[in-house]
Amino acid sequence: MIRSRLSGLLMLLLAAGNAASAEPSLCARLADEAKRLPSSAWAQPQPLRRWLQWLEANRPRPLSPVEQALATDPRWRDKVGATSVVGVQHLAGTPVYRVESFAGTANCQSLVLLQAAPGQPVQKIAPPFALGGEDMSLCVTQSARFARVLGQPALVVGGRTTMAGDDEAYRIAAWAEGGWAPACELQLARRSALTPGRRFCAPGAAVCEAGRGVAQDLALAFEADRTGRAPLDAARFWAGQTPPGAVQAALNPALTDVGAVGDFNLPLPLFGADERGLDPMTLTSFSNEGPRRLPVFAQGRWWLAVVGRAGVGWRQGDAVLVALFAPPGRAEDAVASYQFVVGPAGLARAVARDLPR
């Protein structure tokens, strides 16, 4: 009995020692590197590129014989739902390939993972973590890519967590000894900053300068609401007053004519400015994904304000736009518009966790 208990205790101690000595996951190591980076690094694209290197080619290249065979095999073309163009990517240093296609306005990716070598039968291999369906479709900001992570070949799935945001989340699994190593998840939350961009004014509109501060406060409040930090309190912009009935009626409902305050695809009023060279994703139109319309008080009178992310349709860019209209809010009632650029200003937190096998 005593010998049995001692043996059990020894096994527990050995297991605890092995757990304590286990190497940190790739995600934990990436999180440590992220925390050591200066804040200025997060304003640059791919701040972790020294440790997370994407393997996909940036330009078309000739396919290897194995890749050519995979690209033309109807089994894999059917698997990814490809009717014409299919892509093939190789996880360099391994026998792993990815056959994929992209479709739709949301740029949805369908893919299958394969193990292949010259003269050997091709085998479909399971992903290292669940991806929400047999075809493993990923859309908008999310995608599956091959990378070298801290020197190890790996599958990396993820991207920005929202279209209008800088936070990122990735699931990572390295390929080692003929199979997927234990997978992990990395979440990167960034601090953001909002800086004034250009403004546009109707001729003689004195409110344009006076409204800039109100517009910036409104842009900040919109971003805080959009990211869940604080709800947008419309009364903050009423200077302690209550909007008169005519002003409230102008937004209930708002005019939906082209260029009017309630236009579903509202273009930013530019008042004759030259649009050449202006990016529609950051300047010339409101995304129709969640803009807000409310009365604001500035320079002694009431205006109708529209605030929202720039973009095209539902696609959102990296700017917040504000437009001011005189009631009743027709296109010709626009008086001023403002652009505020949102960008990363540092790392808020980096969190890593192991994923269940």
Side-chain angles (χ1 to χ4, degrees):
M1 178 67 72
I2 294 176
R3 179 177 295 178
S4 175
R5 288 179 178 176
L6 288 174
S7 177
L9 179 59
L10 180 59
M11 291 179 65
L12 288 173
L13 289 173
L14 287 173
N18 289 335
S21 62
E23 184 178 353
S25 70
L26 291 177
C27 298
R29 294 165 63 191
L30 283 174
D32 288 341
E33 298 293 354
K35 293 171 186 176
R36 284 193 279 266
L37 286 173
S39 294
S40 59
W42 295 94
Q44 307 301 319
Q46 300 182 31
L48 292 175
R49 60 184 174 273
R50 179 178 172 185
W51 305 280
L52 195 162
Q53 299 170 342
W54 303 113
L55 297 181
E56 277 76 2
N58 293 325
R59 59 178 62 90
R61 59 177 176 79
L63 297 181
S64 70
V66 171
E67 291 171 326
Q68 185 65 42
L70 295 177
T72 55
D73 191 321
R75 290 177 298 170
W76 317 127
R77 296 180 65 87
D78 292 345
K79 201 68 179 175
V80 299
T83 57
S84 56
V85 178
V86 65
V88 181
Q89 300 291 344
H90 179 211
L91 181 54
T94 79
V96 177
Y97 292 81
R98 190 177 80 245
V99 176
E100 65 191 357
S101 67
F102 292 86
T105 58
N107 198 38
C108 290
Q109 178 189 28
S110 295
L111 62 101
V112 60
L113 296 172
L114 305 168
Q115 187 169 340
Q120 299 294 321
V122 179
Q123 295 182 338
K124 180 184 174 184
I125 55 177
F129 31 70
L131 293 177
E134 172 106 17
D135 63 355
M136 297 167 24
S137 295
L138 299 158
C139 301
V140 191
T141 62
Q142 302 289 296
S143 63
R145 303 173 69 182
F146 289 152
R148 189 162 292 278
V149 182
L150 293 158
Q152 300 184 47
L155 172 69
V156 180
V157 176
R160 289 166 65 165
T161 56
T162 63
M163 178 169 284
D166 295 306
D167 293 353
E168 301 170 66
Y170 297 98
R171 287 170 289 169
I172 300 173
W175 182 267
E177 299 180 358
W180 297 114
C184 60
E185 182 179 61
L186 174 67
Q187 297 180 347
L188 300 169
R190 304 194 195 196
R191 299 194 310 273
S192 61
L194 184 146
T195 57
R198 297 183 64 178
R199 62 172 177 166
F200 303 89
C201 306
V207 72
C208 197
E209 177 60 35
R212 177 184 288 225
V214 173
Q216 182 161 335
D217 289 345
L218 187 55
L220 288 167
F222 173 82
E223 279 296 285
D225 181 83
R226 188 188 63 79
T227 56
R229 299 193 306 273
L232 195 158
D233 179 11
R236 279 185 50 202
F237 303 93
W238 296 351
Q241 306 177 63
T242 299
V247 172
Q248 297 192 54
L251 293 174
N252 189 29
L255 294 173
T256 57
D257 300 340
V258 175
V261 68
D263 186 350
F264 185 68
N265 292 293
L266 178 64
L268 188 72
L270 297 178
F271 310 104
D274 189 351
E275 294 187 43
R276 289 177 299 179
L278 302 182
D279 184 352
M281 288 297 288
T282 60
L283 187 59
T284 58
S285 64
F286 285 84
S287 163
N288 55 40
E289 184 68 26
R292 299 286 297 273
R293 296 169 172 85
L294 66 157
V296 300
F297 192 82
Q299 206 184 24
R301 60 166 293 181
W302 288 97
W303 309 93
L304 309 177
V306 183
V307 57
R309 277 280 181 146
V312 176
W314 54 265
R315 300 172 182 82
Q316 301 177 64
D318 295 326
V320 180
L321 304 180
V322 178
L324 298 181
F325 293 76
R330 301 162 299 183
E332 59 266 32
D333 296 324
V335 293
S337 61
Y338 310 85
Q339 175 205 33
F340 300 94
V341 180
V342 181
L347 179 69
R349 62 185 178 277
V351 179
R353 72 180 183 95
D354 295 334
L355 292 176
R357 302 200 71 164

